[in-house]
Amino acid sequence: MSDTERKKPISTTGDALRVEGGEVDEGSADQLLVSLGYTPELSRNRSTLQVAFMSFVLASIPYGLATTLYYPLVGGGPVTIIWGWVAISAIILCVAASLGEITSVYPTAGGVYYQTFMLAPPRWRRIAAWTCGWLYVVGNVTITLAVNFGTTLFLVGCINVFETEDGEGVLAGEPYQVFLIFLGITLLCNAVSSLGNKWLPILDTFAIFWTFAGVIAIVICVLAIAKEGRRDASYVFTHFEVNSGWTPGWSFFVGLLHAAYATSSTGMIISMCEEVRAPATQVPKAMVLTICLNTLAGLLFMIPLVFVLPDIQGLILLAQPVPAIIKSAVGNSGGAFGLLIPLLVLAIICGIGCTTATSRCVYAFARDGAIPGSKYWKQINHKLDDVPFNAMMLSMVVEIVLGAIYFGSSAAFNAFSGVGVIALTASYATPIIVSMIDGRKTVRTASFYLGPFGWFCNIVSTCWSLLAIPLFCMPTTVPVTDPTLMNYASVVFVGFTAIAGGWYLAWGRKHYTGPPT
């Protein structure tokens, strides 16, 4: 593609975004957005640290690891829990660096969707951007759904550390009970995100200190009390126990959904570019910094839990093993519930952060006319401090409708988390692959340019995407004798694909032109 056929990347060096005295010039960031073809409509109210804090909240380590601990317990036990987390963190660091490099050239709320359009050759940029955009939207919506649904199941597990005289949990967790709790959590997250937009950076900052205070409390208590004793280091770091029915090697990979789910939000922060004072420099740094912080927080949380791990055969019978692990370690229900409160609070904050990022993603895709009824979803509510309220309500309704799947399948959470990881991973890979096809020419102007190391990060990111897509369509355990335990991630994914493809044939093929150029 010739230079005249593609919109020239904008210079995003630090000097372009600063004024005398070293302060970030929000006007320069808005000028950069205008040069990319968009009118600034959102409030730029986040600093570099606040962006990093929100990125941390989107992953919400250790909450994200707590709600999905079942998968590595079944997939391989301690080895999958610890070393699976380390391996995925290293891979996702490459993904974050790759996306950060591209984002420093094209920092818009459209994220990977806009980047794909600008990087792709003219003859197939529309279909490439359409595909990437729908993957990105579906991933954002389903991951937000998975977070709120995971919080619901985790709350049920936390309540059931209290038992009846028969040894049963005090909350039966019937499908209607679970759905109603999920509904309440979803409504709460949307209410806070829409009505408290100006205070969300403060909430994200609070979450950082709350997280580490909660993790330290859990670590100290479970290791100091350890009612049922402590495992030795050999067990914690080398014990491998397959309970999935898969062959050992593949079982290890299936168990990686635990770590992949917790880190799947890596690129969601790009949707906040238009609310950041210097997005070309702040967002890439925040993405990479967050992965490093998450890796340490995850190890700090999981290693002590594995040291006090009860019998795995009993834990894999539970949908949420972490409450049982903590109760076993501290020896009483009240103490266990008290230690679980920090995780529950973090879960709600995570849901709020994901709701916020998803609304920006839907808004950005709608303003380019790619979603049915776009004229409604692209509107900004200035009375609510510049919130894309209609887009937020659309994503909320879709999440609630999909949440009803739980009435038909108790493995619905597996489907939500699986399709979220698949869609986001594929959307992240799209601009990276397009950039490599172009010889990484455009990113050479980036302020976050990785040099030759960029090729390594790009290749690792692509290989991970090719593995993750089929991997997380697999059932967690085999053989599947109960249809309600089947992994329906592929069904949900195909359903969204059919909607996207049908809308493209019916409307997009003739009318969709992509982002402004």
Side-chain angles (χ1 to χ4, degrees):
M1 181 170 58
S2 68
D3 291 341
T4 58
E5 290 176 303
R6 176 188 291 144
K7 185 181 181 75
K8 292 289 197 307
I10 307 300
S11 173
T12 55
T13 60
D15 292 341
L17 296 174
R18 293 189 176 275
V19 294
E20 187 175 352
E23 295 300 322
V24 174
D25 183 5
E26 297 177 26
S28 296
D30 284 341
Q31 289 171 13
L32 173 59
L33 184 62
V34 169
S35 70
L36 295 177
Y38 292 113
T39 300
E41 294 185 279
L42 303 174
S43 300
R44 297 188 183 275
N45 59 354
R46 295 177 186 269
S47 65
T48 302
L49 279 179
Q50 288 169 336
V51 177
F53 292 165
M54 182 177 180
S55 187
F56 180 86
V57 165
L58 289 174
S60 283
I61 307 299
Y63 157 74
L65 296 174
T67 55
T68 53
L69 193 64
Y70 168 81
Y71 301 111
L73 284 174
V74 171
V79 164
T80 308
I81 294 173
I82 304 300
W83 298 114
W85 172 244
V86 172
I88 294 300
S89 294
I91 292 171
I92 299 301
L93 184 61
C94 292
V95 175
S98 298
L99 291 178
E101 189 178 47
I102 299 172
T103 299
S104 67
V105 181
Y106 299 118
T108 78
V112 291
Y113 148 72
Y114 181 91
Q115 295 162 3
T116 298
F117 183 87
M118 300 310 298
L119 291 168
R123 72 175 181 273
W124 53 273
R125 59 168 33 166
R126 288 197 308 146
I127 187 63
W130 181 279
T131 303
C132 181
W134 273 98
L135 287 170
Y136 192 44
V137 168
V138 169
N140 272 262
V141 171
T142 50
I143 277 295
T144 303
L145 166 61
V147 167
N148 290 338
F149 212 91
T151 301
T152 301
L153 298 177
F154 191 68
L155 175 60
V156 172
C158 291
I159 293 173
N160 282 336
V161 297
F162 299 99
E163 298 178 344
T164 63
E165 293 180 356
D166 298 329
E168 300 291 332
V170 295
L171 181 60
E174 297 291 339
Y176 80 90
Q177 294 174 322
V178 171
F179 183 78
L180 288 176
I181 295 173
F182 159 73
L183 185 61
I185 290 172
T186 300
L187 292 174
L188 172 63
C189 291
N190 279 268
V192 174
S193 180
S194 60
L195 301 177
N197 186 49
K198 67 173 65 176
W199 295 291
L200 292 183
I202 298 174
L203 184 63
D204 295 338
T205 303
F206 163 79
I208 293 290
F209 297 99
W210 178 265
T211 297
F212 281 95
V215 168
I216 291 171
I218 292 172
V219 168
I220 292 175
C221 289
V222 299
L223 290 180
I225 301 173
K227 281 285 187 180
E228 296 189 9
R230 303 173 187 84
R231 304 281 189 175
D232 58 33
S234 176
Y235 177 89
V236 172
F237 296 106
T238 64
H239 182 71
F240 187 67
E241 178 180 328
V242 176
N243 293 288
S244 64
W246 293 104
T247 58
W250 190 249
S251 183
F252 174 84
F253 284 113
V254 171
L256 294 179
L257 178 59
H258 169 243
Y261 167 71
T263 56
S264 61
S265 63
T266 299
M268 289 174 66
I269 193 66
I270 302 174
S271 293
M272 301 301 294
C273 274
E274 292 174 32
E275 294 170 71
V276 177
R277 294 165 189 163
T281 53
Q282 290 175 334
V283 173
K285 291 177 182 177
M287 291 168 65
V288 173
L289 174 63
T290 301
I291 299 302
C292 299
L293 188 63
N294 283 344
T295 302
L296 295 175
L299 292 174
L300 178 64
F301 174 67
M302 291 188 297
I303 290 176
L305 288 187
V306 179
F307 266 107
V308 296
L309 200 67
D311 180 43
I312 292 179
Q313 297 302 316
L315 292 175
I316 60 177
L317 300 176
L318 306 172
Q320 292 293 329
V322 169
I325 295 171
I326 293 179
K327 180 181 178 181
S328 169
V330 300
N332 68 83
S333 300
F337 189 79
L339 289 175
L340 290 165
I341 288 176
L343 298 183
L344 288 170
V345 173
L346 184 60
I348 299 297
I349 297 175
C350 177
I352 295 168
C354 288
T355 297
T356 303
T358 297
S359 67
R360 275 58 171 180
C361 167
V362 173
Y363 153 77
F365 202 39
R367 70 181 173 184
D368 292 330
I371 298 178
S374 290
K375 66 179 181 180
Y376 301 108
W377 318 128
K378 68 180 181 179
Q379 295 178 9
I380 296 294
N381 191 315
H382 298 291
K383 294 181 180 179
L384 294 177
D385 196 34
D386 301 333
V387 171
F389 183 75
N390 292 357
M392 188 180 295
M393 293 301 100
L394 174 63
S395 59
M396 182 187 74
V397 170
V398 173
E399 290 160 22
I400 291 173
V401 171
L402 287 175
I405 293 176
Y406 189 74
F407 286 106
S409 172
S410 58
F413 176 62
N414 193 9
F416 303 148
S417 55
V419 75
V421 170
I422 292 168
L424 285 176
T425 300
S427 71
Y428 298 161
T430 306
I432 295 173
I433 292 173
V434 174
S435 178
M436 286 196 296
I437 292 174
D438 188 45
R440 289 173 41 84
K441 296 175 184 176
T442 303
V443 296
R444 290 174 188 169
T445 65
S447 59
F448 194 73
Y449 181 51
L450 299 174
F453 184 64
W455 278 106
F456 173 80
C457 292
N458 292 172
I459 292 170
V460 169
S461 301
T462 303
C463 291
W464 165 242
S465 300
L466 295 175
L467 172 63
I469 292 172
L471 180 63
F472 298 130
C473 288
M474 303 292 178
T476 307
T477 59
V478 290
V480 180
T481 56
D482 184 351
T484 64
L485 298 179
M486 181 60 187
N487 183 355
Y488 290 98
S490 56
V491 177
V492 177
F493 184 74
V494 169
F496 274 116
T497 302
I499 293 172
W503 181 238
Y504 184 79
L505 292 174
W507 182 88
R509 186 164 51 92
K510 293 184 178 180
H511 300 95
Y512 174 70
T513 58
T517 53

